[in-house]
Amino acid sequence: FTTYIARLELLIRRNLLRHLMEAPGTRQLPVSTGTAMSTFREDAEDVAEYMENLIDGLGVAIFVGSALWVLFGIDAGLAGIVLVPLAVALLLTASLSNRIRSHRERMRTATERVTGFLGDLFGSIESVKAAGKEEPMLDHLADVNAERRDAALSDSALTEILRTINRNLANIGIGAVLLAGAASIASGSLTVGGLTTFLVYIPRLTGNMAWV
């Protein structure tokens, strides 16, 4: 896995650099230095991650389908209860997708400003020193870094809140299954092993729905 992901990212970056260096004609970058840095670093990672998700997605689909088939085979009523937190996790994540995308774009833009400013600053360091503008440049660097920090904190906070909600949904599903399963065990329609199977599958199923 590590070899595959690393090679894929490096291949993308190498091809980008080769196009800039060896392709015929002038290769003037149409974007800022910061955007170019983000393209080489983060866009390559995103492409590799999409390929990884396509592979993982097949495994997740097989697992979810197999798990639900097993659970419905044990007790269809309890399996129906399990579907409720799964559906809530999926709908909640989907409803927040635009906000998540907005936070990611804001963090990406802030990162581009930092890297772009650093590139411009190092490229004109002699002019800055000659003009005696070191302090204003450092103040501006502190400002763009603060903006990037705020954007990263907002993105991380939203991501962690979503993960916490999904974990709690799994706990709610486990609680509901325990309550309903106790009655089924008492009536003899469910075994302790069957109930344990539900408790093992629920956290994985909820986590996979959030991943989707």
Side-chain angles (χ1 to χ4, degrees), residues 1 4 8 17 23 25-26 37 43 75 78 80 90 93 101-103 119-120 130 138 141 162 170-171 185 189 202 209:
F1 167 78
Y4 162 74
L8 183 56
L17 187 60
T26 302
M37 289 289 292
D43 285 356
D75 191 306
L78 286 181
L90 187 60
T93 306
R101 187 176 297 110
S102 175
H103 281 277
D120 295 338
L138 291 175
L141 178 60
L162 187 61
N171 293 332
I185 290 177
S189 61
I202 289 174
M209 290 300 98

mmCIF file of all heavy atoms in Angstrom, residues 1 4 8 17 23 25-26 37 43 75 78 80 90 93 101-103 119-120 130 138 141 162 170-171 185 189 202 209:
data_model
loop_
_atom_site.group_PDB
_atom_site.id
_atom_site.type_symbol
_atom_site.label_atom_id
_atom_site.label_comp_id
_atom_site.label_asym_id
_atom_site.label_seq_id
_atom_site.Cartn_x
_atom_site.Cartn_y
_atom_site.Cartn_z
ATOM 1 N N PHE A 1 0.830 -1.208 0.000
ATOM 2 C CA PHE A 1 0.000 0.000 0.000
ATOM 3 C C PHE A 1 0.865 1.259 0.000
ATOM 4 O O PHE A 1 0.683 2.167 -0.802
ATOM 5 C CB PHE A 1 -0.919 0.001 1.225
ATOM 6 C CG PHE A 1 -1.583 1.326 1.483
ATOM 7 C CD1 PHE A 1 -2.678 1.718 0.738
ATOM 8 C CD2 PHE A 1 -1.097 2.186 2.457
ATOM 9 C CE1 PHE A 1 -3.285 2.943 0.963
ATOM 10 C CE2 PHE A 1 -1.694 3.407 2.688
ATOM 11 C CZ PHE A 1 -2.797 3.785 1.944
ATOM 12 N N TYR A 4 2.641 1.669 -3.269
ATOM 13 C CA TYR A 4 1.707 2.045 -4.333
ATOM 14 C C TYR A 4 1.369 3.526 -4.263
ATOM 15 O O TYR A 4 1.450 4.254 -5.261
ATOM 16 C CB TYR A 4 0.432 1.197 -4.209
ATOM 17 C CG TYR A 4 -0.756 1.759 -4.955
ATOM 18 C CD1 TYR A 4 -0.824 1.681 -6.345
ATOM 19 C CD2 TYR A 4 -1.799 2.363 -4.277
ATOM 20 C CE1 TYR A 4 -1.907 2.200 -7.032
ATOM 21 C CE2 TYR A 4 -2.882 2.877 -4.947
ATOM 22 C CZ TYR A 4 -2.938 2.794 -6.325
ATOM 23 O OH TYR A 4 -4.000 3.321 -6.998
ATOM 24 N N LEU A 8 2.605 6.458 -6.899
ATOM 25 C CA LEU A 8 1.581 7.171 -7.654
ATOM 26 C C LEU A 8 1.743 8.684 -7.507
ATOM 27 O O LEU A 8 1.708 9.426 -8.497
ATOM 28 C CB LEU A 8 0.189 6.741 -7.183
ATOM 29 C CG LEU A 8 -0.998 7.347 -7.932
ATOM 30 C CD1 LEU A 8 -0.902 7.064 -9.418
ATOM 31 C CD2 LEU A 8 -2.308 6.811 -7.367
ATOM 32 N N LEU A 17 6.502 18.016 -13.585
ATOM 33 C CA LEU A 17 7.792 18.689 -13.710
ATOM 34 C C LEU A 17 8.399 18.443 -15.087
ATOM 35 O O LEU A 17 8.967 19.357 -15.699
ATOM 36 C CB LEU A 17 8.735 18.206 -12.616
ATOM 37 C CG LEU A 17 10.077 18.942 -12.513
ATOM 38 C CD1 LEU A 17 9.845 20.418 -12.225
ATOM 39 C CD2 LEU A 17 10.931 18.331 -11.414
ATOM 40 N N ALA A 23 8.650 19.797 -22.322
ATOM 41 C CA ALA A 23 7.659 19.943 -23.389
ATOM 42 C C ALA A 23 8.044 21.102 -24.302
ATOM 43 O O ALA A 23 8.627 22.093 -23.857
ATOM 44 C CB ALA A 23 6.276 20.168 -22.796
ATOM 45 N N GLY A 25 7.963 24.491 -26.538
ATOM 46 C CA GLY A 25 7.307 25.770 -26.321
ATOM 47 C C GLY A 25 7.561 26.307 -24.927
ATOM 48 O O GLY A 25 8.183 25.657 -24.085
ATOM 49 N N THR A 26 7.080 27.513 -24.709
ATOM 50 C CA THR A 26 7.253 28.161 -23.417
ATOM 51 C C THR A 26 6.267 27.601 -22.416
ATOM 52 O O THR A 26 5.096 27.435 -22.715
ATOM 53 C CB THR A 26 7.043 29.679 -23.541
ATOM 54 O OG1 THR A 26 7.964 30.178 -24.496
ATOM 55 C CG2 THR A 26 7.275 30.376 -22.213
ATOM 56 N N MET A 37 2.780 25.380 -5.885
ATOM 57 C CA MET A 37 3.248 24.517 -4.799
ATOM 58 C C MET A 37 2.139 23.596 -4.318
ATOM 59 O O MET A 37 2.351 22.400 -4.096
ATOM 60 C CB MET A 37 3.767 25.371 -3.647
ATOM 61 C CG MET A 37 5.071 26.089 -3.932
ATOM 62 S SD MET A 37 6.481 24.967 -4.000
ATOM 63 C CE MET A 37 6.554 24.466 -2.275
ATOM 64 N N ASP A 43 -2.546 18.483 -4.770
ATOM 65 C CA ASP A 43 -3.346 17.903 -5.846
ATOM 66 C C ASP A 43 -2.881 16.487 -6.168
ATOM 67 O O ASP A 43 -3.698 15.597 -6.448
ATOM 68 C CB ASP A 43 -3.272 18.778 -7.096
ATOM 69 C CG ASP A 43 -4.110 20.047 -6.948
ATOM 70 O OD1 ASP A 43 -4.782 20.175 -5.908
ATOM 71 O OD2 ASP A 43 -4.081 20.887 -7.851
ATOM 72 N N ASP A 75 -31.584 -11.799 12.694
ATOM 73 C CA ASP A 75 -32.831 -11.211 13.212
ATOM 74 C C ASP A 75 -33.153 -9.977 12.371
ATOM 75 O O ASP A 75 -32.474 -8.944 12.475
ATOM 76 C CB ASP A 75 -32.682 -10.823 14.682
ATOM 77 C CG ASP A 75 -34.004 -10.456 15.330
ATOM 78 O OD1 ASP A 75 -34.706 -9.570 14.796
ATOM 79 O OD2 ASP A 75 -34.340 -11.041 16.382
ATOM 80 N N LEU A 78 -33.979 -6.650 14.460
ATOM 81 C CA LEU A 78 -32.799 -5.966 14.988
ATOM 82 C C LEU A 78 -31.972 -5.336 13.863
ATOM 83 O O LEU A 78 -31.407 -4.250 14.027
ATOM 84 C CB LEU A 78 -31.930 -6.936 15.781
ATOM 85 C CG LEU A 78 -32.435 -7.350 17.169
ATOM 86 C CD1 LEU A 78 -31.433 -8.296 17.826
ATOM 87 C CD2 LEU A 78 -32.656 -6.132 18.047
ATOM 88 N N GLY A 80 -33.128 -4.095 11.164
ATOM 89 C CA GLY A 80 -33.815 -2.859 10.806
ATOM 90 C C GLY A 80 -33.451 -1.722 11.749
ATOM 91 O O GLY A 80 -33.309 -0.562 11.325
ATOM 92 N N LEU A 90 -25.123 8.572 7.255
ATOM 93 C CA LEU A 90 -24.934 8.867 5.838
ATOM 94 C C LEU A 90 -25.574 10.201 5.465
ATOM 95 O O LEU A 90 -24.966 11.037 4.780
ATOM 96 C CB LEU A 90 -25.530 7.735 4.993
ATOM 97 C CG LEU A 90 -25.285 7.788 3.490
ATOM 98 C CD1 LEU A 90 -23.795 7.752 3.196
ATOM 99 C CD2 LEU A 90 -25.979 6.641 2.791
ATOM 100 N N THR A 93 -23.628 13.258 7.078
ATOM 101 C CA THR A 93 -22.391 13.564 6.366
ATOM 102 C C THR A 93 -22.684 14.229 5.028
ATOM 103 O O THR A 93 -22.009 15.182 4.633
ATOM 104 C CB THR A 93 -21.573 12.283 6.150
ATOM 105 O OG1 THR A 93 -21.382 11.628 7.404
ATOM 106 C CG2 THR A 93 -20.223 12.597 5.539
ATOM 107 N N ARG A 101 -16.616 21.134 2.251
ATOM 108 C CA ARG A 101 -15.888 21.564 1.053
ATOM 109 C C ARG A 101 -15.480 23.029 1.165
ATOM 110 O O ARG A 101 -14.369 23.410 0.777
ATOM 111 C CB ARG A 101 -16.762 21.355 -0.180
ATOM 112 C CG ARG A 101 -16.051 21.616 -1.496
ATOM 113 C CD ARG A 101 -16.936 21.303 -2.679
ATOM 114 N NE ARG A 101 -17.293 19.897 -2.718
ATOM 115 C CZ ARG A 101 -18.522 19.439 -2.470
ATOM 116 N NH1 ARG A 101 -19.495 20.273 -2.132
ATOM 117 N NH2 ARG A 101 -18.768 18.155 -2.537
ATOM 118 N N SER A 102 -16.379 23.846 1.719
ATOM 119 C CA SER A 102 -16.065 25.266 1.886
ATOM 120 C C SER A 102 -14.880 25.467 2.828
ATOM 121 O O SER A 102 -13.975 26.273 2.559
ATOM 122 C CB SER A 102 -17.300 26.011 2.418
ATOM 123 O OG SER A 102 -17.006 27.364 2.701
ATOM 124 N N HIS A 103 -14.863 24.721 3.931
ATOM 125 C CA HIS A 103 -13.751 24.836 4.882
ATOM 126 C C HIS A 103 -12.448 24.350 4.250
ATOM 127 O O HIS A 103 -11.383 24.952 4.477
ATOM 128 C CB HIS A 103 -14.062 24.032 6.145
ATOM 129 C CG HIS A 103 -15.000 24.716 7.086
ATOM 130 N ND1 HIS A 103 -14.584 25.652 8.006
ATOM 131 C CD2 HIS A 103 -16.347 24.619 7.259
ATOM 132 C CE1 HIS A 103 -15.617 26.104 8.697
ATOM 133 N NE2 HIS A 103 -16.699 25.480 8.261
ATOM 134 N N GLY A 119 7.591 32.216 -1.228
ATOM 135 C CA GLY A 119 8.341 32.132 -2.483
ATOM 136 C C GLY A 119 8.721 33.508 -3.003
ATOM 137 O O GLY A 119 9.860 33.734 -3.434
ATOM 138 N N ASP A 120 7.763 34.450 -2.981
ATOM 139 C CA ASP A 120 8.058 35.810 -3.432
ATOM 140 C C ASP A 120 9.073 36.491 -2.523
ATOM 141 O O ASP A 120 9.944 37.235 -3.000
ATOM 142 C CB ASP A 120 6.762 36.634 -3.471
ATOM 143 C CG ASP A 120 5.780 36.111 -4.501
ATOM 144 O OD1 ASP A 120 6.229 35.426 -5.444
ATOM 145 O OD2 ASP A 120 4.571 36.385 -4.356
ATOM 146 N N ALA A 130 17.266 45.932 1.179
ATOM 147 C CA ALA A 130 17.709 47.257 0.738
ATOM 148 C C ALA A 130 16.696 48.330 1.116
ATOM 149 O O ALA A 130 17.068 49.467 1.443
ATOM 150 C CB ALA A 130 17.937 47.258 -0.776
ATOM 151 N N LEU A 138 7.682 40.476 7.840
ATOM 152 C CA LEU A 138 7.449 39.497 8.908
ATOM 153 C C LEU A 138 6.047 39.641 9.493
ATOM 154 O O LEU A 138 5.400 38.640 9.835
ATOM 155 C CB LEU A 138 8.497 39.663 10.005
ATOM 156 C CG LEU A 138 9.929 39.266 9.631
ATOM 157 C CD1 LEU A 138 10.887 39.598 10.763
ATOM 158 C CD2 LEU A 138 10.001 37.778 9.284
ATOM 159 N N LEU A 141 3.729 38.025 7.071
ATOM 160 C CA LEU A 141 3.843 36.565 7.179
ATOM 161 C C LEU A 141 3.070 36.057 8.390
ATOM 162 O O LEU A 141 2.393 35.017 8.322
ATOM 163 C CB LEU A 141 5.313 36.160 7.280
ATOM 164 C CG LEU A 141 5.590 34.666 7.444
ATOM 165 C CD1 LEU A 141 5.049 33.881 6.263
ATOM 166 C CD2 LEU A 141 7.087 34.419 7.616
ATOM 167 N N LEU A 162 -17.989 15.856 13.362
ATOM 168 C CA LEU A 162 -18.674 14.851 12.557
ATOM 169 C C LEU A 162 -18.275 13.447 12.996
ATOM 170 O O LEU A 162 -19.116 12.553 13.107
ATOM 171 C CB LEU A 162 -18.344 15.071 11.081
ATOM 172 C CG LEU A 162 -19.103 14.213 10.079
ATOM 173 C CD1 LEU A 162 -20.601 14.482 10.193
ATOM 174 C CD2 LEU A 162 -18.624 14.516 8.665
ATOM 175 N N ALA A 170 -23.109 5.206 16.597
ATOM 176 C CA ALA A 170 -22.817 3.777 16.770
ATOM 177 C C ALA A 170 -23.179 3.326 18.173
ATOM 178 O O ALA A 170 -23.763 2.252 18.367
ATOM 179 C CB ALA A 170 -21.343 3.520 16.491
ATOM 180 N N ASN A 171 -22.879 4.155 19.182
ATOM 181 C CA ASN A 171 -23.222 3.796 20.562
ATOM 182 C C ASN A 171 -24.734 3.751 20.763
ATOM 183 O O ASN A 171 -25.247 2.891 21.487
ATOM 184 C CB ASN A 171 -22.602 4.809 21.528
ATOM 185 C CG ASN A 171 -21.083 4.741 21.538
ATOM 186 O OD1 ASN A 171 -20.507 3.683 21.274
ATOM 187 N ND2 ASN A 171 -20.428 5.854 21.824
ATOM 188 N N ILE A 185 -33.755 -12.337 23.435
ATOM 189 C CA ILE A 185 -33.075 -13.441 24.136
ATOM 190 C C ILE A 185 -34.004 -14.065 25.169
ATOM 191 O O ILE A 185 -34.056 -15.295 25.333
ATOM 192 C CB ILE A 185 -31.779 -12.915 24.799
ATOM 193 C CG1 ILE A 185 -30.744 -12.573 23.731
ATOM 194 C CG2 ILE A 185 -31.202 -13.956 25.766
ATOM 195 C CD1 ILE A 185 -29.466 -11.986 24.286
ATOM 196 N N SER A 189 -35.860 -16.196 20.835
ATOM 197 C CA SER A 189 -35.717 -16.027 19.393
ATOM 198 C C SER A 189 -34.332 -15.551 18.979
ATOM 199 O O SER A 189 -34.027 -15.467 17.784
ATOM 200 C CB SER A 189 -36.762 -15.016 18.892
ATOM 201 O OG SER A 189 -36.581 -13.748 19.501
ATOM 202 N N ILE A 202 -21.969 -3.297 14.334
ATOM 203 C CA ILE A 202 -22.558 -1.951 14.322
ATOM 204 C C ILE A 202 -21.505 -0.843 14.205
ATOM 205 O O ILE A 202 -21.641 0.052 13.356
ATOM 206 C CB ILE A 202 -23.459 -1.737 15.560
ATOM 207 C CG1 ILE A 202 -24.727 -2.577 15.422
ATOM 208 C CG2 ILE A 202 -23.826 -0.259 15.721
ATOM 209 C CD1 ILE A 202 -25.617 -2.547 16.658
ATOM 210 N N MET A 209 -20.300 3.926 6.734
ATOM 211 C CA MET A 209 -21.245 4.873 6.154
ATOM 212 C C MET A 209 -20.697 6.301 6.211
ATOM 213 O O MET A 209 -20.848 7.071 5.264
ATOM 214 C CB MET A 209 -22.586 4.807 6.902
ATOM 215 C CG MET A 209 -23.392 3.545 6.679
ATOM 216 S SD MET A 209 -23.842 3.258 4.928
ATOM 217 C CE MET A 209 -22.565 2.087 4.443
#
